[in-house]
Amino acid sequence: MDFPYSRLRRWPDVEADNLQAYDATDLLLVDRALSLGVDGREIAVIGDEYGAITLALTDAGLDGVRVHQDLATGRRALARNAAELDLAGFSSHELESSLLAGARLVLLQLPKALAELEEVADAVARWAAPDVVLVAGGRVKHMTIAQNEALGRSFAEVRAERAERKSRLVVASAPRPVPAEPPFPVTARHDGLTLVAHGGAFAGAKLDIGTRVLLDALGLDRSRLGANATESAENTPNRPDVTRSSGVMGGERPSSAPTVVDLGCGTGALAASYALAHPESRVIATDRSAAAVASARATMVANGVDDRVVVTHDDAGSEIDGARADVVLLNPPFHLGSSVHTGAATRLFEAAARILRPGGELFTVYNSSLGYRAELTRLVGATEQLERTPKFTVTRSVRR
C-alpha cells in the first residue's frame, strides 16, 4: 500500500496552497532506500523537513531509523504527523555521533547553504560506518556543481544521477580520512564582537548587513561595545534609549531590569551585543534552527555573556510566557526553504505581539522593498521608522 503523503502537514510551520509537506525528492530518497534493503537501524535521515522520508520508511516496516532535523518546526511536524498516522520506530538526534554511528545509508535532503552541506558531509565521513553510502537529493533548479564539490571533499566517489520529476539524486561513497578537528564551527571577530557559526547558521560567522543596520540604529554598533557601551549608547543623538527598555514612545521605565528577547537570533549577534552593552538586562535568544542555537550558545561563551543570556531552540518564541518581554529585537527571514515567502516574518510579528508586555517595544530591521510597517502596526501597535538605508528599514513598534 502506498504511503499517504497527502495526509502530511507542515504545522506548526506556515501552511499555504503553494507550500507542501513533501516533494518529489522525498519520494526518490524513499524509493532508493527501500530498493537497497538496508536495515532500519543502519539508516540515518538528515534534513527531513516534515517527516515524509522518515515516516514513509517506518510505514514500510523499517525500525530504528535515526533522523536529524534542524528546525524546531520540522521536529514538531514530524511528531504530529507520526501521531496522526500512528507510526513509530524512529528516533530524533542532533547532528552528532549518536545520529550516525554504524550508519551504512544516509539519506539527505540537500541544504541550501554549502557550508551546511560541508558540515554534514564531514559528520557522515567522520562518524558513520566505513562503507557508508550518502544519497543526497534536491530539486534540479536548486542544485549546483559546487554541491558535488563540497561532497567530494569528504567522499572519494561522487556521482550525480539522471533527473526524475525535476529532482535529482547524488550518490557519495568511499569516505575520505577526516581532519583531526571538524571544519565547523568557525569563529570571526567584528570590532569587539565575536561570532561563532555552524554550517547551517544564516550568514555564517559574518555580521549580516541587516543586523549591522539594526545595531547602528540602536546605538549598539561594535565600536561602542565594552565598558563604556551603555554611556555611549545613552548619549548618542537620534538613537532610541533601549537601556531604559520600553517607554521610549511615552511609557514608564520598568522598576526591574528589562527582559530583552532576540527573536530568531541566528548566531546571536543582537543578543550578545545587547548583553555586552547592558549587563543589567535579562536576555533571551531563541531560534527555530538547531544550527543557529548551537552557534548562538558558542557566541555567548566567546563573548563572556553566557551567564546572562539564555539561548533556546524554539518555534517563534512559543515557550516564552506572554506579556513578559520589555524589548524584542527582530531581523526576520523572508525565505521559507528555497521559496520567497513573507509568512515566516508574519509569524514572528505575531509572536512579538504575544510576548511583549503592553507598552513594550519591538525593534525590527527588514528589506525596505517588503514594506512591513503597515503589518507591524496592525499586529503589534504604533510603528515608526527609525532609520532607512537604500536596502534596509529599521522600525520601532509599541505594543498596544
Side-chain angles (χ1 to χ4, degrees), residues 220-301:
L220 297 174
D221 57 276
R222 287 82 55 214
S223 63
R224 281 191 287 272
L225 294 177
N228 297 320
T230 300
E231 178 182 356
S232 177
E234 290 177 342
N235 295 327
T236 302
N238 301 318
R239 305 292 191 202
D241 185 358
V242 291
T243 67
R244 299 181 183 276
S245 184
S246 58
V248 179
M249 296 174 67
E252 297 292 332
R253 178 177 180 174
S255 58
S256 60
T259 296
V260 179
V261 176
D262 182 357
L263 190 59
C265 65
T267 57
L270 292 171
S273 297
Y274 199 100
L276 284 167
H278 309 302
E280 79 288 353
S281 61
R282 297 187 295 265
V283 181
I284 301 170
T286 182
D287 201 291
R288 68 177 189 152
S289 163
V293 167
S295 302
R297 286 174 177 157
T299 290
M300 302 313 150
V301 172

